[in-house]
């Protein structure tokens, strides 16, 4: 091997990591500024959850447990938004709660966003979403056991006041959502092992249907629960969020709600694609440089 | 470019860039932002623990005329036990902190045992066992067999009580293959996860702050 | 005494927690509900003292000893106090303000505003740094040294391509193959690991209840 080539390979291996950071920054930024249209195709696990909520009986509510914190907001917040849009589009009641105190603000942000979308575009009173009638934000309490086991008996005992300080017993919606029996499915959106706790406590004791939206880091670990049927489908990372957004957009269009809403998960797909290719290139280049210099040393 | 005029968006953007400055090298802006985050997070937690737990569950109930005296005494007793957490900062009686910890830890351990056995072991084992229902079509049946064999192989890899010889040796090697594929899948998805978080921040900087993304 | 009492409490509460799952009698169910809604909830609220108290103590000691970067400890403490005051006295619902006004003209410094515009960006950006560290690690450390590592790499590449819409353009069946990897070999390996982990957790929980595992007691005491 020539000395020049060897020097290049050695320098490649010892490159200052800040050059790698810069390349990554550009690779992610440019597609955001100049996106290429790229439609995610829903995977079976996403479709399973979507179809379940889509065909849920009218008297059953969707419960969303916002179990994540601001660090994973980018991946998981789009899931909360998409789920709420889906439920409202299908005129299903929604109940939200947070297992972590730091998830409260995120749930509130999602509620403000989605209710503004629906109420801005509503043409009739029936199309609008009203707090206390169409949805409720139970808020947060601790510890986890109190929430997961208590909700199976009576939700108003677990959350005597909602997030806004209203007595939950006084809300009209709570006449229809007393405990898990009135919940068609509870979707836990989490970045940790909390979904396992939902299975262990809520599902084992009360048989509530569960699903989860999980960060991609943990997604692979939760497939055994999807396989066993303990989770009805699953949303994995930003990809799962983007796929669900697409399905919800199609459903809303069918329902006459073609409002051109912003889908953050889908928007990220072009950057995600470019970044994945960049990481793969880093790995390949790193390995080529490594093996080439190793062969030279031999 | 359509710069935001909301001062809070600017504050958020400056704090975001302060954290990102760490990528170049550690600096006072990053350290400032880091320490600020810890302070705000704790202040936020104090707020909600007070307003949403202590006030409705303890103070309102003790202060209410409708609450029976026996319940009030019971709640005050629990509060005294909870207050034993403060003894952590008094060395002479710091052992008292073990009491509220014991109540929480004991109850949590006890409640988890039967539930975890049911959910994580029995139901997962049920899902692993191949039955006639697994063969709804030949593909589901085949993959069910692969999963069954993969689970046995993975478990055998972690079995260190006997020497790896005979049947155990090739089966545990197959276990490594399954584990490597599983970890590879996890790594691939981890790449996606980490990048998603960065994409989210750039969406904020380029969209909400600079107005470059429509 | 200092160890025996907590161990006895753990034994009683642990057995009660396990037994309550199986026993349908109203008295036990009622006691379980009181245990969860009153005892666990109020004690858990006080547990915040540990976290906040430790942070405050740590930074006060740093200031006292003038340790490295001690000046920044003031920032943490001041931010903590100000945020707590705004939250405690300003109310947590924007529609229902507390005794402390949280608005100066059009400028709001309500706890929710501070959360959305300070805490969320700080936390989210802190974690987004991992993308860079991961990319650097992928470049420097991820080597296909042997068959197992190569297998891991290949699986990762298939997942990365299958996770983005581009995968479908490379090969029609690539996303389905990535999904199959997750649903079959990944499920098998993760389930095998899960059995081991859960049996370990079960054993540890039992050891804690029976007083065999005493690490949680900390040092000292008889």
């Amino acid at each position: 091997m020539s000395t020049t080539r060897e020097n290049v390979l050695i320098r490649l291996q010892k490159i200052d990591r800040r050059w790698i950071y810069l390349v990554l920054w550009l690779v992610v930024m440019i597609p955001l500024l100049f996106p290429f249209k790229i439609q995610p195709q829903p995977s079976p696990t996403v479709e399973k959850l979507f179809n379940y909520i889509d065909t849920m009986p009218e008297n059953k509510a969707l419960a969303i447990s916002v179990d994540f914190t601001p660090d994973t907001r980018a991946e998981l917040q789009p899931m909360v938004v998409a789920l709420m849009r889906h439920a409202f589009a299908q005129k299903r009641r929604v109940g939200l709660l947070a297992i972590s105190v730091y998830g409260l603000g995120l749930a509130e942000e999602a509620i403000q966003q989605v209710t503004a979308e629906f109420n801005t575009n509503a043409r009739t009173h029936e199309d609008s979403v009203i707090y206390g009638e169409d949805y409720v934000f139970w808020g947060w309490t601790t510890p986890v056991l109190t929430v997961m086991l208590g909700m199976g008996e009576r939700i108003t005992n677990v959350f005597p006041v909602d997030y806004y300080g209203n007595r939950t017993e006084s809300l009209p919606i709570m006449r229809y959502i007393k405990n898990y029996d009135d919940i068609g499915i509870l979707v836990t959106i989490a970045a940790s092992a909390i979904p396992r706790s939902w299975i262990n406590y809520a599902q084992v004791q009360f048989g509530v249907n569960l699903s989860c939206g999980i960060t991609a880091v943990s997604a692979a670990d939760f497939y055994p629960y999807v396989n066993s049927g303990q989770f009805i489908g699953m949303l994995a990372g930003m990809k799962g969020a983007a796929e669900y957004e697409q399905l919800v957009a199609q459903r809303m269009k069918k329902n006459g709600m073609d409002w051109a809403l912003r889908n953050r998960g889908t928007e990220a797909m072009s950057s995600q694609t470019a970044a994945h290719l960049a990481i793969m290139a880093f790995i390949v280049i790193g390995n080529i440089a490594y093996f080439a210099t190793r062969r030279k040393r031999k | 470019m359509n710069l935001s005029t909301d001062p809070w968006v600017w504050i958020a953007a400056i704090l975001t860039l302060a954290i990102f400055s760490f990528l170049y090298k550690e600096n006072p802006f990053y350290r400032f932002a880091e320490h600020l985050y810890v302070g705000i997070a704790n202040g936020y937690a104090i707020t909600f623990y007070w307003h949403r737990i202590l006030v409705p569950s303890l103070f309102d109930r003790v202060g209410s005329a409708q609450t029976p005296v026996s319940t009030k005494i019971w709640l005050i007793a629990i509060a005294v036990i909870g207050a034993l957490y403060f003894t952590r900062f008094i060395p002479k009686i710091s052992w008292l902190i073990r009491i509220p910890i014991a109540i929480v830890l004991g109850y949590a351990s006890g409640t988890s045992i039967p539930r975890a056995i049911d959910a994580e072991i029995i139901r997962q084992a049920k899902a692993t066992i191949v039955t006639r229902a697994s063969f709804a079509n030949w593909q589901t049946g085949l993959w069910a067999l692969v999963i069954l064999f993969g689970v046995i192989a993975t478990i055998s890899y972690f079995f260190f009580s006997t020497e790896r010889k005979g049947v155990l040796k090739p089966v545990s090697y197959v276990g490594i293959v399954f584990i490597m594929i599983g970890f590879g899948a996890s790594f691939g998805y981890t790449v996606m996860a980490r990048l998603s978080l960065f994409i989210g921040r750039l969406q904020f900087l380029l969209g909400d702050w600079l107005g470059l993304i429509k | 005494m200092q160890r025996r009492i907590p161990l006895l409490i753990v034994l009683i509460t642990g057995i009660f927690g396990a037994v309550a799952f199986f026993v349908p009698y109203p008295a036990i169910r009622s006691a379980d509900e009181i245990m969860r809604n009153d005892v666990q909830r109020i004690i858990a609220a006080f547990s915040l003292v540990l976290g906040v108290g430790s942070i405050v103590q740590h930074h006060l000691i740093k200031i006292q000893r003038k340790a490295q970067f001690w000046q920044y400890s003031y920032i943490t403490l001041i931010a903590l106090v100000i945020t707590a005051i705004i939250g405690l006295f300003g109310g947590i619902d924007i529609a229902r303000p507390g005794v402390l006004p949280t608005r100066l003209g059009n400028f709001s410094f309500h706890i929710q505003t501070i959360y959305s515009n300070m805490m969320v960006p700080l936390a989210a950006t802190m974690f987004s740094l991992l993308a860079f560290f991961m990319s650097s690690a992928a470049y420097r450390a991820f080597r296909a040294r042997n068959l197992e590592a190569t297998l891991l790499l290949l699986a990762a590449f298939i997942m990365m391509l299958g996770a983005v819409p581009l995968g479908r353009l490379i090969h029609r069946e690539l996303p389905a193959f990535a999904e199959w990897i997750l649903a079959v070999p990944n499920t098998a390996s993760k389930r095998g690991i899960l059995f081991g982990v859960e049996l370990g957790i079960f054993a540890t929980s039992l050891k804690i209840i029976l007083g065999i595992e005493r690490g949680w007691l900390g040092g000292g005491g008889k």
Side-chain angles (χ1 to χ4, degrees):
Chain A
M1 191 190 299
S2 75
T3 315
T4 318
R5 193 166 151 202
E6 185 189 332
N7 286 342
V8 166
L9 289 171
I10 291 171
R11 280 167 71 182
L12 263 179
Q13 280 202 84
K14 292 181 182 172
I15 196 170
D16 189 321
R17 63 177 186 273
R18 289 174 292 191
W19 287 112
I20 300 171
Y21 297 165
L22 180 62
V23 168
L24 187 69
W25 188 289
L26 292 171
V27 162
V28 171
M29 186 175 75
I30 292 169
L32 279 176
L33 295 171
F34 308 105
F36 42 93
K37 196 164 169 61
I38 197 155
Q39 212 73 293
Q41 192 87 321
S43 52
T45 52
V46 171
E47 274 181 335
K48 198 167 184 184
L49 174 59
F50 177 85
N51 291 334
Y52 189 87
I53 295 175
D54 212 43
T55 53
M56 216 163 59
E58 265 184 48
N59 61 339
K60 297 289 187 186
L62 167 68
I64 302 172
S65 185
V66 178
D67 301 338
F68 61 100
T69 53
D71 6 283
T72 46
R73 180 180 184 270
E75 268 192 287
L76 302 175
Q77 187 81 333
M79 294 179 188
V80 182
V81 168
L83 283 164
M84 285 187 69
R85 283 177 184 166
H86 190 192
F88 288 153
Q90 293 293 84
K91 303 263 188 278
R92 296 293 179 272
R93 296 184 192 95
V94 179
L96 290 108
L97 66 144
I99 286 289
S100 161
V101 68
Y102 299 112
L104 280 170
L106 298 169
E108 172 67 1
E109 272 180 30
I111 289 169
Q112 294 302 324
Q113 179 189 335
V114 178
T115 53
E117 286 168 359
F118 274 74
N119 291 333
T120 305
N121 290 288
R123 283 168 294 182
T124 65
H125 179 78
E126 280 71 38
D127 285 346
S128 56
V129 287
I130 297 164
Y131 186 78
E133 290 180 19
D134 301 301
Y135 71 100
V136 59
F137 184 13
W138 294 308
W140 161 82
T141 191
T142 196
V144 155
L145 283 178
T146 301
V147 177
M148 294 179 181
L149 293 175
M151 281 179 71
E153 278 144 25
R154 201 165 176 92
I155 294 173
T156 48
N157 285 352
V158 178
F159 300 105
V161 289
D162 68 3
Y163 175 74
Y164 306 106
N166 307 305
R167 291 217 64 80
T168 43
E169 285 280 6
S170 68
L171 299 172
I173 192 175
M174 296 311 294
R175 271 184 269 136
Y176 305 101
I177 314 178
K178 293 190 174 54
N179 52 39
Y180 289 136
D181 290 342
D182 303 312
I183 290 172
I185 189 166
L186 186 146
V187 184
T188 159
I189 312 289
S192 61
I194 286 286
R196 280 206 182 99
S197 297
W198 279 109
I199 292 175
N200 291 354
Y201 296 109
Q203 194 175 70
V204 163
Q205 185 138 349
F206 301 101
V208 62
N209 292 319
L210 292 175
S211 185
C212 73
I214 195 85
T215 55
V217 173
S218 314
D221 298 340
F222 282 87
Y223 264 81
Y225 301 103
V226 179
N227 174 269
S228 65
Q230 287 164 297
F231 281 144
I232 298 173
M234 184 170 74
L235 306 179
M238 211 173 219
K239 164 185 174 287
E243 290 169 6
Y244 204 84
E245 282 171 349
Q246 288 304 307
L247 290 170
V248 171
Q250 288 165 18
R251 163 55 67 211
M252 288 179 73
K253 198 171 178 181
K254 270 190 198 158
N255 292 3
M257 298 171 175
D258 196 4
W259 299 334
L261 298 172
R262 192 164 174 200
N263 292 314
R264 286 199 181 245
T266 310
E267 278 171 19
M269 283 294 107
S270 43
S271 279
Q272 192 90 57
T273 303
H276 279 204
L277 292 173
I279 297 291
M280 288 169 66
F282 287 153
I283 294 172
V284 168
I285 294 168
N287 273 278
I288 290 172
Y290 169 73
F291 284 110
T293 46
R294 209 176 74 158
R295 195 178 298 148
K296 172 63 184 157
R297 276 192 218 117
K298 279 183 185 170
Chain B
M1 197 184 275
N2 190 15
L3 283 175
S4 171
T5 53
D6 184 345
W8 279 112
V9 172
W10 277 84
I11 291 170
I14 289 166
L15 291 173
T16 300
L17 293 172
I19 299 284
F20 273 137
S21 67
F22 180 77
L23 293 170
Y24 184 69
K25 65 176 180 180
E26 194 166 355
N27 60 81
F29 298 111
Y30 169 77
R31 246 174 261 125
F32 170 81
E34 190 186 40
H35 283 77
L36 186 68
Y37 169 53
V38 173
I40 292 174
N42 280 274
Y44 185 84
I46 291 170
T47 299
F48 279 88
Y49 270 77
W50 176 263
H51 282 294
R52 281 293 168 263
I53 307 290
L54 287 173
V55 168
S57 301
L58 181 63
F59 298 122
D60 280 353
R61 287 171 74 192
V62 168
S64 166
Q66 289 165 340
T67 310
V69 172
S70 56
T71 307
K72 288 187 188 185
I73 294 170
W74 165 245
L75 290 171
I76 291 168
I78 301 169
V80 166
I81 294 172
L84 292 177
Y85 274 117
F86 285 98
T87 60
R88 185 211 179 280
F89 306 106
I90 309 166
K92 274 200 181 134
I93 51 168
S94 64
W95 70 270
L96 287 168
I97 198 179
R98 293 170 184 161
I99 293 173
I101 291 175
I103 294 173
V104 170
L105 185 64
Y107 184 72
S109 300
T111 49
S112 74
I113 287 174
R115 293 171 173 88
I117 290 173
D118 187 324
E120 310 276 7
I121 295 172
I122 294 174
R123 292 193 196 192
Q124 287 292 315
K126 268 172 85 171
T128 311
I129 293 167
V130 177
T131 62
R132 198 174 289 178
S134 310
F135 286 87
N137 61 62
W138 71 267
Q139 279 180 327
T140 55
L142 177 62
W143 306 144
L145 283 168
V146 171
I147 289 174
L148 173 64
F149 184 63
V151 170
I152 294 169
T154 303
I155 292 171
S156 71
Y157 173 73
F158 291 107
F159 190 71
F160 300 114
S161 301
T162 59
E163 199 185 333
R164 276 199 189 146
K165 55 184 180 183
V167 168
L168 189 61
K169 193 170 177 185
V171 172
S172 63
Y173 185 76
V174 172
I176 297 173
V177 170
F178 272 90
I179 290 165
M180 286 298 128
I181 294 173
F183 286 162
S186 292
F187 176 71
Y189 260 26
T190 300
V191 166
M192 178 167 74
R194 302 290 178 230
L195 292 168
S196 300
L197 302 181
F198 174 48
I199 292 169
R201 294 322 297 152
L202 271 192
Q203 280 178 316
F204 164 74
L205 287 174
L206 298 174
D208 300 301
W209 181 43
L210 296 175
L212 292 171
I213 304 176
K214 295 289 171 276
Chain C
M1 162 90 156
Q2 292 179 2
R3 292 169 85 86
R4 277 198 193 147
I5 292 174
L7 287 172
L8 187 62
I9 293 172
V10 143
L11 179 67
I12 293 169
T13 51
I15 291 173
F16 174 72
V19 160
F21 177 72
F22 297 104
V23 176
Y25 288 123
I28 301 287
R29 293 271 163 182
S30 179
D32 192 43
E33 208 178 314
I34 290 170
M35 180 60 151
R36 274 186 273 114
N37 287 336
D38 291 347
V39 178
Q40 296 290 318
R41 203 197 301 238
I42 293 169
I43 291 178
F46 279 98
S47 69
L48 185 69
V49 164
L50 277 181
V52 174
S54 298
I55 290 274
V56 170
Q57 188 182 43
H58 167 77
H59 284 284
L60 285 174
I61 290 171
K62 259 185 101 170
I63 291 170
Q64 194 182 30
R65 291 183 186 165
K66 300 237 184 318
Q68 196 186 29
F69 306 130
W70 64 273
Q71 301 91 333
Y72 293 95
S73 293
Y74 278 115
I75 293 165
T76 300
L77 294 172
I78 291 168
L80 193 156
V81 168
I82 292 177
T83 311
I85 288 173
I86 289 173
L88 291 171
F89 298 106
I92 54 176
D93 179 15
I94 287 178
R96 285 179 208 186
V99 295
L100 177 74
T102 53
R103 186 170 275 275
L104 278 171
N106 279 338
F107 185 77
S108 164
F109 49 92
H110 191 267
I111 188 81
Q112 291 302 347
T113 313
I114 292 172
Y115 172 88
S116 298
N117 296 288
M118 294 182 84
M119 204 177 133
V120 169
L122 285 167
T125 313
M126 204 84 78
F127 258 66
S128 72
L129 293 178
L130 292 170
F132 296 92
F133 304 149
M134 178 212 62
S135 62
S136 174
Y139 181 80
R140 289 160 184 272
F142 208 153
R143 300 285 180 254
R145 282 179 228 271
N146 51 38
L147 178 65
E148 289 86 9
T150 309
L151 213 54
L152 197 153
L153 242 176
L154 278 171
F157 272 34
I158 292 167
M159 293 313 305
M160 280 191 260
L161 286 174
V164 291
L166 178 69
R168 203 170 63 247
L169 297 174
I170 295 172
H171 191 291
R172 205 161 38 101
E173 295 300 323
L174 187 58
F177 183 51
E179 190 64 32
W180 176 86
I181 288 178
L182 283 167
V184 181
N186 166 71
T187 296
S189 70
K190 294 293 165 28
R191 186 171 280 163
I193 293 169
L194 187 66
F195 281 134
V197 166
E198 286 303 320
L199 286 170
I201 291 172
F202 164 60
T204 305
S205 298
L206 211 53
K207 278 160 68 176
I208 288 172
I209 292 170
L210 295 175
I212 301 166
E213 173 62 53
R214 298 180 183 194
W216 63 274
L217 286 169
K222 292 173 195 165

